[in-house]
């Protein structure tokens, strides 16, 4: 299927300005029709989704551009592209491990505050001074 830039923008969630920027930077190369309008394909859509995923996982545009250039060069660059993705995955795994460590520390601090609040609340409860043998009303 073919898409003009406006439809492709809506489909990808990227602005027309961003699509033009990506084209200018060599990340995408849409076909042109007989009146020189950009025509995007489903293949372009798949590629844009991959670019967005790389970007969302922290790969810098400069590195994505390098990857795009290798992709455009063809199958002789398969090994280099694989190497880029393996290195990016390693970086991503390190970031995930660091985030998991931060979460553990945050969970510990949350538990500390819960226990402190419970301790403070327990300290302020009346000591078995019930009238009519009924416990105080707790709201």
């Amino acid at each position: 299927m073919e898409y003009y830039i406006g439809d492709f923008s809506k489909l990808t969630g990227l602005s027309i300005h961003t699509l033009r920027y990506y084209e200018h930077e060599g990340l995408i190369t849409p076909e042109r029709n007989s009146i020189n309008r950009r025509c995007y394909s489903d293949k372009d859509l798949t590629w844009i989704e991959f670019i967005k995923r790389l970007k969302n996982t922290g790969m810098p545009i400069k590195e994505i551009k390098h990857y795009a250039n290798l992709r455009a060069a063809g199958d002789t660059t398969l090994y280099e592209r694989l190497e880029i993705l393996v290195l990016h995955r390693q970086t991503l795994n390190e970031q995930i491990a660091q985030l998991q460590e931060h979460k553990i520390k945050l969970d510990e601090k949350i538990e500390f505050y819960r226990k402190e609040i419970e301790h403070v609340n327990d300290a302020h409860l009346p000591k078995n001074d019930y009238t009519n043998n009924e416990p105080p009303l707790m709201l």
Side-chain angles (χ1 to χ4, degrees):
M1 188 163 192
E2 286 189 348
Y3 311 94
Y4 291 125
I5 196 166
D7 294 331
F8 197 68
S9 170
K10 290 175 188 166
L11 198 57
T12 61
L14 298 174
S15 70
I16 291 172
H17 174 77
T18 299
L19 291 171
R20 288 182 179 146
Y21 169 73
Y22 282 2
E23 183 179 355
H24 180 263
E25 291 297 313
L27 295 176
I28 56 176
T29 52
E31 298 291 325
R32 298 280 183 152
N33 66 10
S34 60
I35 57 172
N36 206 30
R37 283 185 74 182
R38 291 171 181 88
C39 294
Y40 298 90
S41 67
D42 288 331
K43 186 177 176 184
D44 293 319
L45 180 60
T46 301
W47 173 234
I48 284 289
E49 292 303 321
F50 188 67
I51 289 172
K52 287 170 53 178
R53 185 167 308 279
L54 292 176
K55 194 167 178 259
N56 287 337
T57 58
M59 183 180 280
I61 288 291
K62 181 180 178 182
E63 190 71 14
I64 296 172
K65 185 177 177 179
H66 177 61
Y67 183 92
N69 289 336
L70 291 172
R71 178 179 175 263
D75 288 348
T76 59
T77 66
L78 288 173
Y79 180 78
E80 290 173 86
R81 286 184 273 162
L82 172 64
E83 190 173 279
I84 288 170
L85 295 180
V86 167
L87 288 173
H88 183 63
R89 181 180 61 188
Q90 180 181 345
T91 300
L92 191 59
N93 283 335
E94 290 167 3
Q95 290 171 347
I96 289 168
Q98 186 178 38
L99 286 172
Q100 287 173 330
E101 184 179 327
H102 292 326
K103 183 186 176 296
I104 289 168
K105 294 301 181 186
L106 186 61
D107 288 344
E108 289 171 359
K109 188 57 87 171
I110 288 169
E111 187 58 27
F112 167 80
Y113 280 115
R114 286 186 174 147
K115 286 181 180 179
E116 285 298 305
I117 289 169
E118 185 179 307
H119 175 72
V120 169
N121 286 342
D122 287 347
H124 290 95
L125 287 177
K127 304 287 187 231
N128 292 335
D129 188 19
Y130 305 138
T131 55
N132 301 329
N133 294 328
E134 295 180 12
L137 182 60
M138 302 296 272
L139 299 176

